[in-house]
Amino acid sequence: MVLNYIWIALILIGVAVGLVHWIVTGQADVFTEMLNSTFGSAKTGFEISIGLTGVLSLWMGIMKTGERSGVVSGMSRVVSPFFTRMFPGLPKGHPAFGSMLMNLSATMLGIDNAATPLGLQAMREMQETNPDKERASDSMIMFLVLVTSGLTLVPVSIMTYRAQLGAANPADVFLPILLATYFAAMAGIVSVAVAQKINLFNRVVMGTLGGLTLFVALIIWGAMSLPQETVSKWSGILAAVILMGVIVWFIVAGMVKKVNVYDAFIDGAKDGFKTAIGIIPYLIAILVAIGVFRASGAMDYVVDGVTWLVSLTGLNADWVPALPTALMRPLSGSGARGLMVDTMVQYGADSFVGRLVSIVQGSTDTTFYIIAVYFGSVHIKDTRYAVVCGLIADFFGILAAILLGYLFFH
């Protein structure tokens, strides 16, 4: 329901801004741009979905192999003490626990192509126990908010863009991104826990979150003690080794259990293909609305308004050029990525703003894209408070990114 209102608001606000532009300037070309944006966004949505087909087929095939070999159920039992408290609506040892763990692990390693199909697999497994097939369950919402918070330990893609744009030290944003995305994840967990009345002071929950905090602290310590070039190089290698290790692990486990690994892979790949096709209408819908909002110039007016307000307070406004990326981040991953690159080209990759947009880009994930794709894959129409909690995580992640940008680079 919330997504429905947001979708309508983005389009109507965009049209209203375009109408005002026409009345004031006498030029109606903005409507042509908005119309072209609908065609372009629809094409982009289709191409993204089709592009996901191969990846989804691959990873759902691998996951099916792991499921039939018993690896996924074994992983579910390991994380069950913590997950049963964070996802009380799911029974102990539910197969979704293993898929969720794999998804979150892939996200932390910056392996987005692997994370998406694993997350969609988790949604399908949770949907099987969902009593209302068109309404998001509590467990789905908690998982979605964890995904949208985008806890990332290895921001490989951002460091790659910075290297391509001439940054002297592409990995210098590694530490602030890690801190910003951690704050976003904690904010998301707390917001959902409050809404669902989950006790975060349980010993198991506190122990797990405390252990995660310690792990993040050790990563930070290790990153600070090594040359940044070494951190950038080995983070990518580590991600690749772990990913290939998982594939080999699942296949070998299937062989040991005398599972027909090939047939299991084919069955999972077929499900992946069906899932990718089912995503298309949901993704096109949200991208078209965002495209209209951007093409109308509404985003520019928001940025100009914020700049004016900040100037009235007398506060430093050096961060404002990064605002378009921050505002676009929850709406469109490719849009935010494009704005990040454009800002670095305009100001320089090693400028304060160039570094800040990199931190903002890595501080959280694309809430509306993830909600459209993940809920769309299981045909959920009522997302309840998922959007609100996801945006809370986004807000704290982006706020932390701005503060950390000033702390590290200003």
Side-chain angles (χ1 to χ4, degrees):
M1 189 65 68
V2 175
L3 196 59
N4 171 57
Y5 292 139
I6 292 173
W7 187 80
I8 293 173
L10 287 172
I11 293 179
L12 294 185
I13 291 173
V15 172
V17 170
L19 183 60
V20 171
H21 175 83
W22 183 17
I23 293 173
V24 172
T25 65
Q27 299 177 352
D29 55 339
V30 65
F31 287 100
T32 301
E33 294 178 9
M34 285 192 290
L35 180 62
N36 290 338
S37 76
T38 62
F39 295 134
S41 298
K43 179 182 178 182
T44 299
F46 178 78
E47 290 174 346
I48 290 175
S49 298
I50 294 301
L52 280 173
T53 303
V55 178
L56 282 169
S57 298
L58 168 64
W59 282 101
M60 285 193 173
I62 294 296
M63 285 299 295
K64 183 65 71 174
T65 302
E67 180 181 322
R68 292 186 182 176
S69 65
V71 174
V72 173
S73 61
M75 294 172 62
S76 298
R77 287 192 294 272
V78 171
V79 300
S80 183
F82 174 70
F83 273 23
T84 51
R85 288 166 175 81
M86 300 302 294
F87 301 91
L90 295 177
K92 292 183 179 181
H94 194 280
F97 290 158
S99 300
M100 285 191 283
L101 178 63
M102 294 290 292
N103 167 270
L104 297 174
S105 299
T107 300
M108 283 189 245
L109 293 169
I111 314 170
D112 296 335
N113 288 340
T116 299
L118 295 169
L120 296 180
Q121 176 72 10
M123 291 295 287
R124 289 167 55 116
E125 291 164 345
M126 284 187 282
Q127 180 72 329
E128 293 177 0
T129 59
N130 185 11
D132 188 342
K133 300 302 182 184
E134 294 187 353
R135 188 171 186 264
S137 66
D138 287 351
S139 298
M140 288 178 172
I141 294 173
M142 174 62 83
F143 175 59
L144 258 292
V145 173
L146 285 174
V147 174
T148 60
S149 67
L151 181 59
T152 304
L153 301 179
V154 189
V156 175
S157 61
I158 293 175
M159 291 189 290
T160 300
Y161 280 114
R162 289 183 54 75
Q164 291 174 342
L165 293 171
N169 185 359
D172 58 5
V173 296
F174 170 82
L175 184 56
I177 286 177
L178 176 60
L179 293 172
T181 190
Y182 173 72
F183 288 124
M186 291 300 103
I189 289 174
V190 171
S191 65
V192 178
V194 170
Q196 298 182 4
K197 297 181 173 59
I198 295 174
N199 180 19
L200 293 178
F201 297 100
N202 178 278
R203 285 186 299 176
V204 174
V205 175
M206 289 292 290
T208 304
L209 295 180
L212 178 61
T213 301
L214 178 61
F215 178 66
V216 170
L218 290 173
I219 292 292
I220 293 173
W221 175 79
M224 294 180 67
S225 62
L226 293 173
Q228 294 292 344
E229 294 80 5
T230 303
V231 173
S232 178
K233 174 184 176 181
W234 283 101
S235 61
I237 293 175
L238 179 63
V241 168
I242 291 175
L243 188 57
M244 286 305 302
V246 168
I247 294 175
V248 173
W249 179 23
F250 282 18
I251 292 175
V252 171
M255 294 171 59
V256 171
K257 291 290 185 67
K258 297 182 180 181
V259 172
N260 189 322
V261 176
Y262 180 77
D263 284 349
F265 179 88
I266 294 300
D267 289 341
K270 289 178 180 178
D271 291 337
F273 181 82
K274 293 176 183 177
T275 300
I277 298 302
I279 288 171
I280 294 176
Y282 297 91
L283 187 57
I284 288 177
I286 194 65
L287 289 181
V288 165
I290 293 169
V292 170
F293 188 78
R294 291 183 62 192
S296 69
M299 182 69 75
D300 295 332
Y301 288 122
V302 171
V303 173
D304 292 342
V306 172
T307 303
W308 178 73
L309 289 174
V310 172
S311 65
L312 290 179
T313 64
L315 296 175
N316 185 284
D318 291 349
W319 61 274
V320 174
L323 184 61
T325 302
L327 294 175
M328 185 57 63
R329 192 67 184 107
L331 299 173
S332 168
S334 59
R337 187 162 50 250
L339 289 169
M340 175 190 70
V341 171
D342 180 71
T343 302
M344 284 196 285
V345 170
Q346 182 178 354
Y347 292 89
D350 286 332
S351 66
F352 168 69
V353 175
R355 289 186 170 106
L356 180 57
V357 292
S358 301
I359 302 170
V360 168
Q361 178 72 7
S363 65
T364 184
D365 215 323
T366 312
T367 295
F368 291 101
Y369 169 84
I370 288 173
I371 286 177
V373 170
Y374 279 54
F375 280 139
S377 68
V378 289
H379 310 294
I380 292 292
K381 296 180 180 179
D382 183 2
T383 61
R384 300 169 67 198
Y385 49 86
V387 173
V388 174
C389 291
L391 291 178
I392 289 173
D394 291 340
F395 173 78
F396 279 96
I398 292 170
L399 178 62
I402 295 172
L403 296 176
L404 289 164
Y406 274 90
L407 178 64
F408 279 83
F409 302 116
H410 198 272

